[in-house]
Amino acid sequence: MLKTTYTNARANLAGLCDEVTKNREIVIIDRRSGESVAMIAADELASLVETAHLMRSPKNAQRLLTALERALKREGEPESTDALRAELGLGG
């Protein structure tokens, strides 16, 4: 995670945008007269928002964490996305 000042961020905005998108870096911008803000790639933010949404349900969170644990232990057989969609009733 990088930190910079508002003044530096304004002067180097294009470079910071490149750093954020190319290197998946998060940049914290400290402001003198306000709270700090974070610059993050849009697709990273979308992924975080989606993960937070999925984890809101305790039942779904437990299912996802159990699946992650199995995957990390390399247990079970991989399934295609089509098979998973059918299992969840999401169509093809």
Side-chain angles (χ1 to χ4, degrees):
M1 192 171 339
L2 299 176
K3 282 190 128 187
T4 189
T5 63
Y6 175 84
T7 302
N8 186 54
R10 190 175 66 196
N12 299 296
L13 185 59
L16 285 175
C17 289
D18 289 342
E19 185 71 22
V20 166
T21 56
K22 288 180 184 173
N23 300 325
R24 315 318 289 167
E25 193 66 60
I26 296 171
V27 177
I28 303 298
I29 302 170
D30 291 324
R31 302 183 308 158
R32 240 185 288 160
S33 59
E35 292 185 45
S36 296
V37 297
M39 183 185 292
I40 183 171
D43 60 339
E44 286 285 323
L45 177 60
S47 177
L48 290 170
V49 169
E50 183 177 348
T51 300
H53 174 75
L54 292 172
M55 298 299 270
R56 277 191 194 120
S57 159
K59 185 176 180 179
N60 199 45
Q62 185 58 51
R63 183 172 185 253
L64 291 169
L65 292 172
T66 299
L68 176 61
E69 186 176 305
R70 281 194 324 256
L72 291 172
K73 291 179 181 178
R74 302 206 184 275
E75 295 175 351
E77 294 295 317
E79 284 189 64
S80 72
T81 54
D82 289 337
L84 291 172
R85 286 180 191 279
E87 181 183 331
L88 296 172
L90 297 175

